[in-house]
Amino acid sequence: CGMDMVLIEDEEKHKDHDHDEHQDSAKKEKSNKSDHAMKMPKDRVGITLSLDKQQVIGVKTEKIKKIDIFETIKAPGRIAFDPELYTAQSEYLEAIRQQSKVRNSPLKEIRRSTNEMVRSAKTRLQVLGLGESQIKALATKGRVSDGLIVSGNNDNLIYADVFESDLSKIRPGQEVKIKASFINGKPLHGEVTSVDQLIDPKTRTGKVRIKIDKTDLSIRPEAFVTVSISVPLGKHIAVPLESILDTGEDLFVFVKKDEGRFEPRKITKVFETDQYIAVLDGLHEGEVVVTSANFMMDSESRLKSVIRGAGKQSGHNH
């Protein structure tokens, strides 16, 4: 008959294999559709807008990328007037001088006593928030910061009262902007020098010491200021806050798919700053999101969803 002869058993196996492959393919397609649907916020659908309409409603977009994100911690502060720290530094420097004088003394008890004085004075400085490197710098410098008791030209310090929930994020070296009524709106700059280990039980705050960059302005001790401490949070895929829409259940953005097509996409955030939301899931680097006119686009997306739902219901009744 001109046909290849095939065992029935082998033929059945081949059919079963094809059937299984078809089922697997169908399952994968269903799974992909399900994953895609999971990314869509409830009662929203994709929309298509002509270029003219995009221009009329003012659609703006931005490409998503990984960026360095900073959290801004704001706190009240004052120009330092701290006789306690001034005294503690003075005592530490005096203890070091005494230790140096008796280093070669034959009297063991005197050496032990001065060593204990140094340890005690150092511990007090640590309790007041000074780190190891700062204590070493103090010993090398050999003098106390004048900014702790008077307005000095190079040693001005600020004490900021930061809530305990934020203290763990703050480290020496972080950049700070300082605003105050006496500097006519132009911010001063500085950096964190130390963080207190003690928490005020009444206010639940700890003191953060900030050194002000050199300035020609007259700085008055005890003057009130507002500080903004910039805390680095690492590199993250991030979207501007103005891109985000919130349904109460989901956070989502509109992703541009091509010139006229936009898709509402659910996202999962890691954290939020005053400018960005760091995204854990839902967006990829290089995708483009809408940053302006997204509320109008959301209205159209919901309307289309309602119309589509009504159409399906009408077809089902028919």
Side-chain angles (χ1 to χ4, degrees):
C1 64
M3 294 178 65
D4 294 331
M5 304 301 289
V6 181
L7 287 172
I8 293 175
E9 184 181 60
D10 290 343
E11 188 176 0
E12 291 299 325
K13 285 181 179 178
H14 182 67
K15 285 180 180 177
D16 288 344
H17 179 68
D18 287 348
H19 179 68
D20 289 343
E21 280 192 342
H22 178 72
Q23 280 191 326
D24 288 345
S25 177
K27 283 180 181 177
K28 284 180 182 177
E29 186 177 351
K30 186 177 180 182
S31 174
N32 288 338
K33 285 182 179 178
S34 176
D35 289 345
H36 180 72
M38 285 294 288
K39 293 178 182 177
M40 284 273 194
K42 188 178 179 182
D43 300 328
R44 267 81 173 173
V45 296
I47 59 173
T48 301
L49 298 175
S50 67
L51 187 58
D52 286 344
K53 188 165 185 179
Q54 290 179 49
Q55 290 174 342
V56 167
I57 67 175
V59 174
K60 294 181 182 178
T61 60
E62 184 172 315
K63 184 177 282 189
I64 298 302
K65 56 187 177 181
K66 277 190 175 180
I67 60 172
D68 288 308
I69 296 183
F70 295 84
E71 178 182 3
T72 301
I73 296 176
K74 294 185 178 181
R78 59 183 175 83
I79 305 299
F81 179 77
D82 194 340
E84 183 182 5
L85 182 58
Y86 184 91
T87 301
Q89 289 187 359
S90 299
E91 289 175 351
Y92 178 67
L93 292 176
E94 181 59 29
I96 289 176
R97 282 191 285 269
Q98 291 299 324
Q99 184 186 52
S100 179
K101 287 180 182 178
V102 302
R103 192 181 304 279
N104 298 319
S105 172
L107 300 175
K108 184 178 179 180
E109 183 59 28
I110 290 179
R111 295 200 308 272
R112 188 197 66 75
S113 177
T114 53
N115 288 341
E116 183 58 36
M117 283 173 58
V118 172
R119 278 194 296 272
S120 177
K122 182 178 179 180
T123 298
R124 188 178 177 194
L125 290 175
Q126 289 171 331
V127 168
L128 290 172
L130 269 63
E132 190 68 32
S133 61
Q134 292 167 314
I135 295 173
K136 285 181 180 178
L138 174 63
T140 302
K141 187 178 178 182
R143 68 178 183 83
V144 182
S145 170
D146 290 337
L148 295 171
I149 54 172
V150 296
S151 178
N153 292 326
N154 300 311
D155 294 317
N156 288 303
L157 291 176
I158 286 175
Y159 283 6
D161 296 314
V162 176
F163 285 114
E164 61 178 319
S165 57
D166 291 324
L167 280 176
S168 61
K169 305 172 188 175
I170 299 175
R171 301 282 186 277
Q174 290 171 349
E175 295 180 1
V176 184
K177 285 184 180 178
I178 303 110
K179 291 184 178 180
S181 58
F182 63 86
I183 53 178
N184 301 320
K186 187 178 180 181
L188 295 173
H189 296 272
E191 69 173 46
V192 174
T193 61
S194 65
V195 182
D196 256 5
Q197 302 302 307
L198 297 178
I199 301 292
D200 187 316
K202 293 180 180 178
T203 62
R204 307 310 302 173
T205 61
K207 282 190 171 44
V208 174
R209 292 181 179 83
I210 298 161
K211 184 174 181 180
I212 306 174
D213 292 348
K214 188 175 181 179
T215 176
D216 294 331
L217 292 173
S218 175
I219 306 295
R220 295 191 179 98
E222 292 296 286
F224 288 108
V225 299
T226 299
V227 305
S228 298
I229 304 170
S230 188
V231 177
L233 300 174
K235 278 187 178 290
H236 296 272
I237 290 176
V239 291
L241 285 181
E242 55 266 28
S243 298
I244 305 298
L245 292 155
D246 189 348
T247 68
E249 295 180 10
D250 303 310
L251 296 177
F252 72 98
V253 296
F254 277 98
V255 179
K256 186 176 182 180
K257 303 302 291 182
D258 52 41
E259 280 306 311
R261 199 159 57 90
F262 299 88
E263 172 189 281
R265 182 90 61 79
K266 287 201 303 186
I267 64 167
T268 305
K269 76 173 182 178
V270 187
F271 53 79
E272 180 179 331
T273 71
D274 53 353
Q275 290 182 301
Y276 293 97
I277 278 184
V279 178
L280 176 65
D281 184 47
L283 286 172
H284 300 288
E285 196 170 3
E287 290 191 295
V288 177
V289 298
V290 175
T291 58
S292 178
N294 42 12
F295 286 100
M296 296 183 72
M297 293 172 69
D298 184 39
S299 296
E300 185 149 343
S301 175
R302 282 184 291 166
L303 178 61
K304 231 174 187 179
S305 176
V306 170
I307 294 171
R308 183 178 295 182
K312 286 181 179 179
Q313 188 175 3
S314 174
H316 177 72
N317 290 336
H318 176 73

